[in-house]
Amino acid sequence: MQSLHETENVFIKNGVMVVEKMDIIVCVKHVPDTAEAEVTIDPSGRDIKKEGLPFDINEWDNYAIEEALLLKEKHGGKVTVITVGPEEYNETLRKCLAKGADEAIRLYDESFKGSDGYTTAKILYSAIKNMKFDLILTGAMAGDDGYAQVGVTLAEMLGIPHASLVKKVEVKDGWVKVNRELEGGLEEVAEVKLPAVLAIQTGINEPRYVSIAGIRRAAKKEIKVLGLAELGLSKEEVGELGSPTRLERLFIPEVTKKVEFLTGDPSEVASKLANVLKEKGVL
Amino acid sequence: MVEVLVLAEHRKGELRDITFEMLTGARKICDKIGADLTVALLGFNVKEFAKELADYAKQVLIVEDERIKEFNSEAYQKILAKIIGERKPLLVMIGHTAIGMDLAPSLATSLNIPLTTDCIGLDFKDGKLYAIRQIYSGKVNAEITFKDAETYMVTIRSGAFQPEKPEPPMGGGIINIPSPLTDEDFAVKKFVEYVEEAKGEIDISAADIVVSVGRGIKDAKNIPLVEEFAKAVGGVLACSRPIVDKGWLPKDRQVGISGKTVKPKLYIAVGISGAFQHLAGIKGSGVIIAVNKDPKAPIFRVADYGIVDDLFKVIPVLKDKILELKGK
């Protein structure tokens, strides 16, 4: 009988092979922060004007990288961050390296432009299928296009299980126990067998800040860049050509309800508001 | 016959609103393109639901199995892949909910069906499907088209369609489909239990006046500013999601889809831009007042009165004015 040798990542418990050290891949995206910015449509009609907008790691991904680092601190192992995008995306990868990720990979080719959620997952899949991992974390969605699609699609392509909207993660004996956020303050506890993809919801942890020492350390690290050929993809499979859906045009939503703005200096506004509240009998 | 297939959503013994919203949206599409409306109901002991759904659809497909008493994406995917593969509907509609987000992307991928998510509008023009969805947290709408396919899939945002019962009821036929599930289908993913959030002392959903604080408050140490204002107007303090995510207020104060739905006489949103998840939780409010720096913030699309200014300047003055009035 062939004996199972315990390796760095695996040990035998009650005759069962158990993954202890975790190799974790975190998929991240570099997005414009539009929370407090005015959004305008660019001349192509298919994108917003991005000049002058601050860019940062997607908020959901920031919780995902934190969760990966917490798991690494608990179980040992390695955290690799991966993204699909042009050189500017290095900023988000560097941020993750500064927080404590071990390796960073950027997937990019000009032909990736216009990729939808499915095709973005396919590009990630073409890199990840050759990598060693126990767990993949993604953000549950991205703050820009908000498809909430990539993580679960990637899991299907890899043929592994998934859980979305994850608010709690506990790894034990080759399984991961998760809390999923449902509607109305309810959560669902589910168990998913590793390897798996978890799409992380905001609020799961308290993302750490980047330290100066971390930034210095990250600056020296290499970011591996993989293109179309290295990923074994063709131009027809990616971007708009390869995507089953297409963003045809953008438009500013119509205002259906007319708000009445109360204007003036704060004391004038306060008087106007007081009148409104009296009129409506709510005060 | 061309078919539109809607997945019924239910949890803890109740059909969820999204089901009736989708059925209403789907019915309009069916009327326009001359398609049959079919609803798929997966669960256990759900025959009563099937009767209810029969009023809304031409057919109700029901798959019962004790192992899917609770939603399980792996099991749902197997059943729906079989149904879609056999019936080849033109369009499949699933909620953009905790269920749909866990199911639709993998189901569509497994069947090689074009999918777009979180839609707020759908239309067929000249045989082509157009989906409208919001991006950049509601600041911009996007129109999505699809590569030609036999079947398309969309997930639908909660509240995108107003539910209407067809008159007369459609009296749909109920078709029982044997469960194709085996224990093997539960080998990698298992439902364990539901957990309710901890209940605090204050029930924001029962209050007549709710003052909510959002991201604009910048720091936990500024929250008392809004809390005192809430006290002055005689309301309770609530918040939007980012405040709970940061741990500045407990979850039971969160207004929105994943938190609480509120229907106060007066709702005052302070420093809240108005992500859809939040707006869905305040729909039934009487008067909505919003304070935000950005005049284009989505909150102003639902507000009755808006104040475009720095909350740190405005709120203390508003508070004093209200206290002064009350003192009289």
Side-chain angles (χ1 to χ4, degrees):
Chain A
M1 192 183 137
Q2 200 186 351
S3 68
L4 277 170
H5 290 286
E6 294 194 12
T7 69
E8 208 185 1
N9 282 312
V10 168
F11 69 96
I12 315 288
K13 188 176 169 184
N14 304 330
V16 181
M17 203 161 70
V18 175
V19 180
E20 178 62 11
K21 281 191 179 177
M22 306 272 299
D23 282 346
I24 305 171
I25 297 172
V26 186
C27 305
V28 296
K29 188 176 184 184
H30 190 60
V31 298
D33 177 7
T34 55
E36 293 195 357
E38 191 180 329
V39 173
T40 48
I41 296 165
D42 80 2
S44 78
R46 301 177 62 201
D47 206 346
I48 62 161
K49 280 187 192 151
K50 291 183 179 150
E51 298 85 42
L53 290 177
F55 275 71
D56 202 349
I57 183 170
N58 172 40
E59 192 181 349
W60 284 260
D61 302 346
N62 200 29
Y63 286 94
I65 180 71
E66 180 63 31
E67 200 59 27
L69 294 172
L70 293 172
L71 286 168
K72 180 186 143 178
E73 282 156 16
K74 190 171 173 191
H75 298 274
K78 192 176 83 176
V79 172
T80 303
V81 282
I82 186 164
T83 193
V84 181
E87 206 173 337
E88 302 93 89
Y89 280 47
N90 282 358
E91 198 187 314
T92 275
L93 293 177
R94 292 253 176 248
K95 187 170 189 172
C96 295
L97 289 170
K99 283 171 180 248
D102 300 279
E103 288 176 21
I105 304 170
R106 186 166 60 82
L107 313 177
Y108 184 66
D109 186 90
E110 268 180 29
S111 60
F112 289 175
K113 195 170 158 37
S115 295
D116 67 0
Y118 171 87
T119 301
T120 302
K122 187 161 73 181
I123 295 165
L124 287 166
Y125 164 72
S126 61
I128 291 173
K129 67 176 188 213
N130 302 316
M131 293 166 64
K132 185 172 150 292
F133 64 88
D134 303 298
L135 187 63
I136 298 173
L137 302 184
T138 68
M141 61 180 276
D144 53 357
D145 48 26
Y147 285 112
Q149 187 181 355
V150 171
V152 176
T153 302
L154 176 64
E156 181 66 26
M157 289 172 175
L158 288 163
I160 59 176
H162 67 264
S164 68
L165 297 170
V166 171
K167 284 290 288 271
K168 191 177 171 188
V169 174
E170 222 180 286
V171 174
K172 212 182 157 207
D173 299 341
W175 286 72
V176 55
K177 192 171 178 181
V178 299
N179 282 32
R180 293 190 62 232
E181 180 181 279
L182 310 176
E183 290 82 7
L186 196 67
E187 290 186 358
E188 167 201 27
V189 182
E191 288 175 344
V192 182
K193 197 167 193 276
L194 295 174
V197 178
L198 306 181
I200 301 295
Q201 176 63 306
T202 56
I204 185 175
N205 52 41
E206 283 178 48
R208 69 196 63 191
Y209 290 97
V210 175
S211 69
I212 301 289
I215 292 170
R216 284 206 195 105
R217 206 173 48 239
K220 285 180 220 140
K221 284 202 170 156
E222 182 212 5
I223 291 174
K224 195 164 147 190
V225 182
L226 300 176
L228 204 59
E230 286 107 322
L231 295 170
L233 290 166
S234 69
K235 281 189 163 39
E236 291 70 36
E237 290 175 274
V238 297
E240 277 184 18
L241 279 176
S243 291
T245 68
R246 175 184 151 96
L247 197 163
E248 208 63 49
R249 64 183 181 103
L250 295 183
F251 58 100
I252 303 292
E254 266 176 62
V255 179
T256 47
K257 181 174 171 182
K258 191 86 184 99
V259 60
E260 186 183 332
F261 284 113
L262 308 176
T263 53
D265 65 41
S267 69
E268 287 171 272
V269 168
S271 299
K272 287 179 184 172
L273 183 70
N275 285 338
V276 166
L277 296 180
K278 270 194 281 183
E279 230 172 75
K280 300 271 174 190
V282 282
L283 211 64
Chain B
M1 186 69 192
V2 179
E3 183 175 80
V4 173
L5 180 73
V6 171
L7 174 66
E9 198 171 293
H10 60 93
R11 180 179 298 136
K12 295 184 120 184
E14 271 178 41
L15 277 168
R16 295 178 48 73
D17 293 347
I18 182 74
T19 308
F20 300 103
E21 294 167 10
M22 286 193 289
L23 284 168
T24 307
R27 196 165 75 238
K28 287 182 181 148
I29 288 172
C30 287
D31 288 347
K32 180 167 181 178
I33 62 169
D36 278 348
L37 177 50
T38 301
V39 55
L41 173 64
L42 282 49
F44 186 61
N45 281 339
V46 288
K47 290 202 173 61
E48 284 305 312
F49 293 164
K51 279 186 215 157
E52 202 178 336
L53 292 169
D55 289 346
Y56 289 82
K58 185 133 192 254
Q59 290 160 109
V60 184
L61 310 178
I62 170 167
V63 182
E64 291 200 287
D65 190 312
E66 199 174 351
R67 293 166 291 195
I68 48 167
K69 201 165 158 279
E70 313 301 342
F71 169 73
N72 179 310
S73 68
E74 298 272 331
Y76 266 53
Q77 183 169 326
K78 179 165 177 181
I79 296 168
L80 289 168
K82 190 163 183 285
I83 290 174
I84 295 166
E86 283 168 10
R87 303 180 71 91
K88 308 213 182 300
L90 177 63
L91 178 65
V92 179
M93 288 166 72
I94 296 176
H96 193 70
T97 55
I99 285 179
M101 281 188 243
D102 211 42
L103 170 69
S106 50
L107 175 62
T109 302
S110 75
L111 294 170
N112 210 11
I113 293 175
L115 163 73
T116 204
T117 58
D118 197 16
C119 300
I120 58 167
L122 289 176
D123 198 8
F124 273 96
K125 283 181 270 186
D126 304 323
K128 223 173 149 45
L129 175 61
Y130 293 82
I132 305 295
R133 56 194 308 283
Q134 292 192 330
I135 59 175
Y136 294 102
S137 43
K139 292 195 174 179
V140 190
N141 282 4
E143 182 183 67
I144 306 291
T145 56
F146 301 77
K147 267 192 189 160
D148 287 340
E150 197 168 25
T151 300
Y152 304 95
M153 190 183 293
V154 291
T155 65
I156 303 292
R157 174 177 285 192
S158 295
F161 301 108
Q162 289 307 309
E164 285 163 35
K165 195 170 174 176
E167 276 310 324
M170 290 172 78
I174 296 172
I175 302 167
N176 284 286
I177 297 177
S179 167
L181 298 174
T182 67
D183 284 344
E184 195 60 26
D185 298 313
F186 299 86
V188 294
K189 192 173 188 179
K190 299 176 202 291
F191 170 86
V192 180
E193 61 178 343
Y194 291 117
V195 195
E196 297 267 3
E197 71 181 44
K199 291 227 172 5
E201 292 151 35
I202 289 167
D203 180 7
I204 56 167
S205 59
D208 279 342
I209 299 176
V210 175
V211 177
S212 261
V213 57
R215 217 188 272 267
I217 197 69
K218 302 260 192 276
D219 200 301
K221 71 175 180 358
N222 299 327
I223 292 206
L225 178 78
V226 182
E227 190 167 21
E228 281 160 28
F229 173 61
K231 262 190 221 150
V233 295
V236 300
L237 181 69
C239 64
S240 63
R241 171 166 204 126
I243 303 299
V244 174
D245 281 350
K246 288 179 162 68
W248 296 350
L249 283 173
K251 171 97 186 182
D252 64 350
R253 298 291 182 116
Q254 186 187 325
V255 173
I257 286 188
S258 63
K260 286 206 164 88
T261 300
V262 296
K263 291 178 179 175
K265 289 189 190 125
L266 173 62
Y267 187 79
I268 306 179
V270 180
I272 291 175
S273 69
F276 136 78
Q277 288 84 352
H278 185 80
L279 301 185
I282 62 172
K283 259 194 307 195
S285 301
V287 178
I288 298 175
I289 295 167
V291 181
N292 200 294
K293 272 198 300 195
D294 175 11
K296 299 251 171 79
I299 189 80
F300 290 126
R301 286 189 216 133
V302 301
D304 299 286
Y305 298 94
I307 297 167
V308 181
D309 207 340
D310 183 349
L311 74 91
F312 295 102
K313 277 190 212 150
V314 173
I315 293 298
V317 182
L318 291 181
K319 187 188 81 179
D320 291 345
K321 183 77 192 174
I322 283 159
L323 288 177
E324 179 196 317
L325 275 177
K326 284 190 158 177
K328 274 180 191 165

